[in-house]
């Protein structure tokens, strides 16, 4: 597989202080207290009702220091949410926006020691954050540099949700895919804010009113909010899309009743454009 490079930005949220680990442990869905220095994990931060306030990668920098990298624009939301329950806790919350990031995706033999594993299902790779990291990564041998649309196509095929698209404040965590739950939620760590809804849905087999699927289309990338239909009946809406050489790809939330069958695919349309609904992640090419 080719190796791809993309340059963008992330927001960084910092949590530091004597109570940093215990405070985060009670606020996020993953077991961050057990992380060794240098370890990283995906995690949600949830509203008390169990809906998503944020999703990002938590890395332990030191015993009393954590950093959370999140989608652009989501850093201030994370910071505000973590400040809300801080009270007398010995921890400080900080946020830095528009931090340069270099992303490498594809088969890579090794990665720099300061790299962060991408954590995308079905696609190897890593990310480099901050100006210093970007400086050390001016190029990757034989890599193809992607524009925003090209990189978004890789994200979509991996079924990676994005804040403001698949993820927003009304999102129920289980709707964005089982791999996200497996990567982001600990069911053994103990109590945290918003735990009840996540645990209840898991105990019922993960059944939710809608779920995320992929779309492979033979035409142009559809608009966000475009209606997905099967046999003329509306079954869902597009959340993200991007062009590809042979058409386009997209993510969409569809009704729970939509059955992709044993093959994991079913034919539908978006507007007048034929579309194949695919279980996520759907990495690879047609």
């Amino acid at each position: 597989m080719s190796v791809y490079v993309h340059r963008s930005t992330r927001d960084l949220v910092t949590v530091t202080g004597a109570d940093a680990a215990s405070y985060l442990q009670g606020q996020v869905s993953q077991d961050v207290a057990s992380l060794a220095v240098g370890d990283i994990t995906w995690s949600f931060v949830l509203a008390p009702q169990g809906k998503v306030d944020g999703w990002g990668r938590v890395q332990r920098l030191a015993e009393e220091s954590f950093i959370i990298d999140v989608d652009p624009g989501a850093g201030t939301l994370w910071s505000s949410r973590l400040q809300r329950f801080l009270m007398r806790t010995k921890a400080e919350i900080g946020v830095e926006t528009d931090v340069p990031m270099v992303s490498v995706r594809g088969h890579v033999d090794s990665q720099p020691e300061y790299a962060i594993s991408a954590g995308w299902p079905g696609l190897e790779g890593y990310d480099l954050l901050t100006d210093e990291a970007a400086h050390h990564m001016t190029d990757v041998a034989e890599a193809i540099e992607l524009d925003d649309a090209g990189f978004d196509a890789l994200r979509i095929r991996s079924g990676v949700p994005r804040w403001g698209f698949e993820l927003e404040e009304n999102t129920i965590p289980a709707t964005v895919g089982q791999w996200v739950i497996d990567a982001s939620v600990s069911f053994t760590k103990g109590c945290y804010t918003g735990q009840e809804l996540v645990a209840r849905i898991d105990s019922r087999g993960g059944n939710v009113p809608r779920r995320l699927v992929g779309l492979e289309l033979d035409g142009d990338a559809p608009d966000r909010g475009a209606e997905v239909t099967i046999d003329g009946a509306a079954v869902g809406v597009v959340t993200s899309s991007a062009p590809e050489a042979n058409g386009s790809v997209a993510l969409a939330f569809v009704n729970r009743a939509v059955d992709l069958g044993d093959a994991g695919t079913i034919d539908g349309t978006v507007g007048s454009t034929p579309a194949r609904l695919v279980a996520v992640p759907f990495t690879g090419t047609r």
Side-chain angles (χ1 to χ4, degrees):
M1 179 184 179
S2 299
V3 177
Y4 302 98
V5 171
H6 178 251
R7 301 170 194 274
S8 61
T9 63
R10 292 284 271 181
D11 287 358
L12 301 184
V13 179
T14 57
V15 184
T16 58
D19 295 337
S22 59
Y23 180 65
L24 269 184
Q25 185 76 345
Q27 296 301 316
V28 302
S29 61
Q30 190 53 279
D31 185 0
V32 296
S34 68
L35 292 178
V37 172
D39 283 354
I40 188 167
T41 183
W42 289 107
S43 186
F44 290 107
V45 62
L46 304 173
Q49 299 82 6
K51 294 184 178 180
V52 176
D53 274 344
W55 184 62
R57 291 179 298 191
V58 183
Q59 183 177 19
R60 191 168 203 160
L61 300 181
E63 286 301 312
E64 298 180 357
S65 178
F66 295 81
I67 192 167
I68 308 159
D69 72 279
V70 302
D71 287 325
T76 54
L77 297 173
W78 265 86
S79 177
S80 296
R81 164 61 180 78
L82 291 176
Q83 290 280 3
R84 192 183 313 161
F85 300 108
L86 198 58
M87 294 180 283
R88 297 182 179 86
T89 305
K90 295 179 181 178
E92 295 184 359
I93 313 297
V95 61
E96 184 178 359
T97 61
D98 299 323
V99 176
M101 181 171 76
V102 175
S103 298
V104 179
R105 298 291 185 273
H107 180 70
V108 290
D109 294 327
S110 61
Q111 65 183 45
E113 62 180 1
Y114 45 78
I116 299 172
S117 295
W120 287 15
L123 187 62
E124 296 179 53
Y126 55 86
D127 296 319
L128 301 162
L129 286 162
T130 77
D131 290 320
E132 181 182 359
H135 175 73
H136 285 289
M137 201 61 195
T138 55
D139 64 337
V140 177
E142 300 180 0
I144 300 168
E145 184 144 7
L146 296 176
D147 60 13
D148 290 346
F151 190 70
D152 216 28
L154 293 183
R155 175 188 70 83
I156 288 167
R157 282 194 169 274
S158 290
V160 177
R162 180 179 171 188
W163 186 258
F165 292 81
E166 291 72 41
L167 291 169
E168 54 188 9
E169 292 177 352
N170 289 322
T171 304
I172 296 172
T175 61
V176 291
Q178 188 60 45
W179 86 263
V180 180
I181 296 298
D182 292 342
S184 310
V185 177
S186 169
F187 291 98
T188 60
K189 60 169 277 185
C191 296
Y192 60 90
T193 301
Q195 176 190 20
E196 183 179 353
L197 178 64
V198 176
R200 184 167 69 246
I201 291 174
D202 180 72
S203 70
R204 296 175 179 175
N207 289 324
V208 283
R210 61 177 189 168
R211 61 194 175 97
L212 197 66
V213 301
L215 300 175
E216 293 180 327
L217 302 100
D218 297 329
D220 295 339
D223 293 336
R224 185 169 189 260
E227 193 172 74
V228 181
T229 60
I230 296 176
D231 296 331
V235 298
V237 295
V238 171
T239 56
S240 293
S241 66
E244 281 194 333
N246 297 319
S248 60
V249 290
L251 291 171
F253 281 120
V254 299
N255 302 337
R256 179 172 60 188
V258 174
D259 184 1
L260 299 183
D262 293 337
T265 63
I266 191 171
D267 291 332
T269 58
V270 178
S272 60
T273 304
R276 189 167 69 119
L277 281 68
V278 185
V280 292
F282 61 117
T283 50
T285 58
R286 283 180 276 183

